[in-house]
Amino acid sequence: VGDPDAAFAWLVGFLEERYGMPVLGEPIPKSVRFAEAPGQGRSILTHAPRSAGAEAYRNIARILHGDST
């Protein structure tokens, strides 16, 4: 199977080279709460606002908005 971290690093490098733009942030962590959200008709931000997945989406929004906090 190999080293997942090495595989991820390779994939990020490939995508950045292929599309000429950086990959934003770390991967979005998945959880049961994350999987439940669409079935409830909600985003992870409203379904589980304090979850790691919700925080990861907020971090990407900060990056896109140009906030460093």
Side-chain angles (χ1 to χ4, degrees):
V1 173
D3 178 12
D5 290 334
F8 179 73
W10 177 87
L11 179 60
V12 167
F14 172 79
L15 292 172
E16 288 178 339
E17 183 178 319
R18 172 76 166 97
Y19 295 103
M21 61 181 63
V23 173
L24 299 175
E26 296 294 318
I28 304 294
K30 300 219 172 132
S31 67
V32 171
R33 299 287 298 198
F34 200 92
E36 292 171 343
Q40 300 293 319
R42 302 170 77 184
S43 77
I44 191 63
L45 298 171
T46 56
H47 184 66
R50 294 186 178 141
S51 69
E55 184 57 32
Y57 272 109
R58 283 191 289 276
N59 285 336
I60 288 176
R62 286 183 196 105
I63 290 169
L64 292 172
H65 190 259
D67 293 346
S68 60
T69 57

